[in-house]
Every structure is written in C-alpha cells, then in structure tokens.
Amino acid sequence: MDQKNKSLKGAFLLDNGSLAGTFFARSVILICEHNEKGAYGLIVNKSVSTTIGSALAADLPQKTKNSPLFIGGPVQTKSLSFLYTSSEDSFHSVIKGVDLGHDLDDLQEISRQDDPLFKVKIFAGYSGWTSGQLENEIERDSWLILPSDSNQIYEEPHDTLWQGMLQALGWKYKLIADFPEDTSLN
C-alpha cells in the first residue's frame, strides 16, 4: 500500500447520504483492517431485533446475553466477531482501548472479567472490500472518513450514532442527517 493509500485501520466510514437504498445506508463502519489485500470492517450502529443469548448458544454472563446482536455487514453473516475494551495495545487492537476477536472461547473468557468498565459488542457478519475496492468507493465520494472513538462504539446510542456524527460536521451534513430515510414520508 503506497503512501497515497494510507491504511484506514481504526477510522470510521460513514455513509455520506449517497448510499440510500443500499445495505450500507446510514452506516457507521469501524475499519478493523486495511492493507494492500483489501479492508475489513464492522457496522457499529445496526443491531437486529434479537439478543446475544437468543442468537448464540454459549456460556456467557447474563449481561452479555442480554446485549443486542449487531450486523457487522453482509459478508458471512453466520461468522462471529466482537469488539471489546482492553487496557493494553496488542496484535488485536483496532484503536486504543478497543480490541477485535473472532473466537467463541475467547469471547466466553473475556466476558467473565470482573471489571465494571469492561464492554463488548458482538457482530454477525462483516463488511469487506477486495484490493482497491474501498479506495474506489472513496474516490467516488461514497464515504466520509472520520476518526473513531471508543465512546462512540460503546457509549453512544447506536440508533442515532450516524445522525449525531453527521450533525456534528456542520449544516450541510445536518441536512443530510435530518432527511427522512423513507422519502415518501417527506
């Protein structure tokens, strides 16, 4: 990957309003990996109407079982990924304080932490791009690229995250954020 195509690992991709009617409409995607082979990310603001406990037969603490399941993207929707808080940088770090995992045994182990500040967000599926595909979408102005923050991943209400992030960018994006999802209701 040359300097022009610097890695976006750890950045947010936001639908800039041009993806209406697609799977990625109103999405906020955390890019977990980005290199010359392609990119991998998780949609952090779209949950499904089921809990982790209903979707996953695993020995997990009740707090984790009661958490919503998120759709990470349209690729391999039966695959498991999770983001979790971490106090140390490691090979699994996406951004400071946020690590990525895929193994159910690891999820069971880390979910038992006795740390009241521990957070985990669990995803079915992921968002993926082949070599050069994401760069082409960015050149076509399909995405806004913003710095990510663990508070936005874990603390902000996921159902208003996209709108809130756009509104913070100023009047032009506030108009996009306030536009109805179903234009027939306008």
Side-chain angles (χ1 to χ4, degrees):
M1 178 166 291
D2 61 28
Q3 197 59 2
K4 176 185 165 211
N5 296 319
K6 191 174 103 176
S7 176
L8 295 175
K9 180 179 180 179
F12 276 140
L13 291 183
L14 271 72
D15 166 19
N16 65 7
S18 67
L19 299 173
T22 72
F23 185 88
F24 295 106
R26 299 180 178 231
S27 289
V28 177
I29 302 173
L30 177 65
I31 297 298
C32 300
E33 189 60 51
H34 182 218
N35 57 39
E36 64 281 345
K37 295 178 183 176
Y40 167 90
L42 297 168
I43 301 173
V44 298
N45 67 320
K46 294 191 178 183
S47 65
V48 294
S49 60
T50 191
T51 62
I52 299 302
S54 298
L56 197 60
D59 183 23
L60 296 167
Q62 198 60 43
K63 179 181 176 185
T64 303
K65 285 182 178 183
N66 292 339
S67 299
L69 176 65
F70 287 82
I71 295 297
V75 182
Q76 294 184 3
T77 55
K78 294 186 188 248
S79 68
L80 168 77
S81 297
F82 52 95
L83 297 171
Y84 61 100
T85 53
S86 175
S87 59
E88 299 177 17
D89 285 340
S90 73
F91 174 74
H92 303 288
S93 296
V94 178
I95 61 172
K96 184 177 173 78
V98 178
D99 282 10
L100 171 68
H102 303 285
D103 185 80
L104 183 57
D105 291 336
D106 291 344
L107 175 61
Q108 290 173 316
E109 182 180 330
I110 65 166
S111 292
R112 287 184 175 62
Q113 290 187 28
D114 196 22
D115 181 355
L117 300 177
F118 175 77
K119 304 262 192 259
V120 65
K121 201 168 202 176
I122 302 170
F123 303 86
Y126 64 90
S127 301
W129 296 263
T130 59
S131 179
Q133 185 181 8
L134 179 57
E135 291 79 5
N136 289 336
E137 290 179 15
I138 291 168
E139 284 179 25
R140 287 193 318 265
D141 199 30
S142 298
W143 300 104
L144 294 172
I145 303 167
L146 296 174
S148 63
D149 178 302
S150 63
N151 287 330
Q152 290 168 312
I153 295 168
Y154 299 117
E155 304 298 330
E156 298 288 328
H158 66 273
D159 55 343
T160 59
L161 181 62
W162 179 79
Q163 290 90 349
M165 291 178 75
L166 278 182
Q167 288 171 346
L169 295 174
W171 71 268
K172 174 185 172 187
Y173 293 106
K174 184 176 181 347
L175 291 173
I176 293 168
D178 291 342
F179 204 74
E181 195 165 356
D182 181 354
T183 55
S184 68
L185 300 176
N186 194 8

